[in-house]
Amino acid sequence: MEAVKKIAVLGAGSWGTALAMVLADNGHEVRLWGHKEAQIKEINEFHTNIKYLQNIKLSNMIIGYTSMKEAVNQVDAVVLAVPTKAMREVCQQVREYLSTPTLFVHVSKGIEPDTHLRVSELIEEELPESIREAVVVLSGPSHAEEVSLRQPTTVTAASLNAEAAEKVQDLFINQHFRVYTNTDVVGVEIGGSLKNIIALAAGITDGLGYGDNAKAALITRGLAEIARLGSCLGANPLTFLGLTGMGDLIVTCTSVHSRNWRAGNMLGKGMKLEEVLENMGMVVEGVRTTKAAYQLSKKLQVKMPLTSALYHVLFDDVNPKDAVDELMNRSKTTELDDLSKLLGERIR
């Protein structure tokens, strides 16, 4: 049994709250930080977080904080569960109050536009080595709604520091929440980030009224696109066949729990991006990641037709149906050349 730890979970949205529940189930003392006074008061007084997880009762082991200083004081680990666009700001706050090496776990899925940094790279840029024991990414096919109901879920803890990944595995693993380890941080982060792009596109095809054939093609070719860019960045191609690749891609492209799928579905039904984001009321990571991946594909000269088509729908006001038609009418090609090349290079 893992010894009781003090853990700060920064970000009181659906995913941060669900992970706080997993940690509390494992007997740890959990400090759930958020910047909204009313939300934190609800967590402490009523042990609920209704906006994000309806009909869910939280453990008394989860204490809400609005003070960053109090939340991270003498903790054993910090779980960063904020959207990628807020990651820098939150890390800048954290570094003011930590002076000893601390284990950092991030659970966000995205790439920063313009810099093209993965989340772990962004964290390492903002947090000095003196307060970083290690940075571990926890990722996989895991809807917060199902985790909060203690339904079976499997994820991966990835870090270049294998011992740190095992520590995170020990913190989170239980009979409902199984955790594997991996050292391919690039592959895990790229798979988790780019699947949101394909989920947006899947939502669009559903919104347009297309069937299972279209979605199967989209998921399959989307995986090829993810592997193409990820391998160019140094990832192991086989990672994309695992939980943080194919696993996360399937769940995000096919579930109504997926906010990226829901956003895409609205786009497919004719809503404009601004309307969709206002209607969602939550961060849709795939929108920002589409811009970053499109920029990165141009920089590295990696072919990503699905990402390119979605970029033009989101930011150039291209009609979704026209984008699909253009994809279907591209020049003919073979299916397995890319995969053979990637695996061949890996084997050599």
Side-chain angles (χ1 to χ4, degrees), residues 227 237 241 335-344:
L241 300 179
E335 182 184 14
L336 298 179
D337 278 357
D338 283 341
L339 183 60
S340 299
K341 183 174 183 293
L342 292 176
L343 293 177

Side-chain angles (χ1 to χ4, degrees), residues 226-247:
I226 292 169
R228 198 179 299 137
L229 181 63
S231 299
C232 185
L233 293 170
N236 183 339
L238 296 178
T239 297
F240 301 114
L241 300 179
L243 290 170
T244 59
M246 178 56 82

Side-chain angles (χ1 to χ4, degrees), residues 81 84 166 175 199 212 214 218 224 226 237 239 255 287 293 295-296 301 309:
T84 56
E166 289 174 6
Q175 66 186 57
D212 294 338
L218 183 69
I226 292 169
T239 297
S255 174
V287 174
Q295 293 172 344
L296 198 52
Q301 297 185 315

Side-chain angles (χ1 to χ4, degrees), residues 63-239:
I63 307 298
Y65 288 79
T66 55
S67 167
M68 181 68 76
K69 181 178 181 179
E70 293 177 9
V72 302
N73 181 42
Q74 295 185 327
V75 293
D76 298 292
V78 174
V79 178
L80 295 161
V82 296
T84 56
K85 69 176 184 180
M87 191 63 72
R88 284 190 185 276
E89 181 183 350
V90 169
C91 286
Q92 288 163 8
Q93 291 181 52
V94 169
R95 74 187 185 201
E96 291 183 32
Y97 304 114
L98 287 179
S99 56
T100 57
T102 304
L103 180 63
F104 285 90
V105 185
H106 91 74
V107 298
S108 301
K109 298 172 180 179
I111 302 172
E112 189 174 51
D114 302 323
T115 68
H116 310 138
L117 293 178
R118 292 176 284 106
V119 177
S120 64
E121 295 175 311
L122 188 156
I123 292 168
E124 290 168 356
E125 194 170 271
E126 292 293 343
L127 298 178
E129 286 188 35
S130 60
I131 63 171
R132 274 192 280 119
E133 176 187 329
V135 176
V136 180
V137 52
L138 189 70
S139 187
S142 47
H143 288 311
E145 294 84 354
E146 295 181 9
V147 171
S148 68
L149 292 171
R150 297 177 178 82
Q151 294 183 357
T153 301
T154 54
V155 297
T156 295
S159 177
L160 296 177
N161 183 329
E163 184 179 344
E166 289 174 6
K167 284 185 179 181
V168 172
Q169 182 182 46
D170 290 338
L171 286 175
F172 283 93
I173 195 167
N174 61 33
Q175 66 186 57
H176 311 293
F177 197 80
R178 182 167 178 79
V179 185
Y180 293 87
T181 61
N182 196 331
T183 56
D184 182 16
V185 177
V186 176
V188 167
E189 288 189 302
I190 290 297
S193 300
L194 269 59
K195 58 91 182 181
N196 285 330
I197 299 173
I198 309 306
L200 271 170
I204 287 175
T205 62
D206 285 332
L208 288 169
Y210 297 145
D212 294 338
N213 294 351
K215 184 174 287 189
L218 183 69
I219 291 173
T220 307
R221 297 312 301 164
L223 183 62
E225 212 163 282
I226 292 169
R228 198 179 299 137
L229 181 63
S231 299
C232 185
L233 293 170
N236 183 339
L238 296 178
T239 297

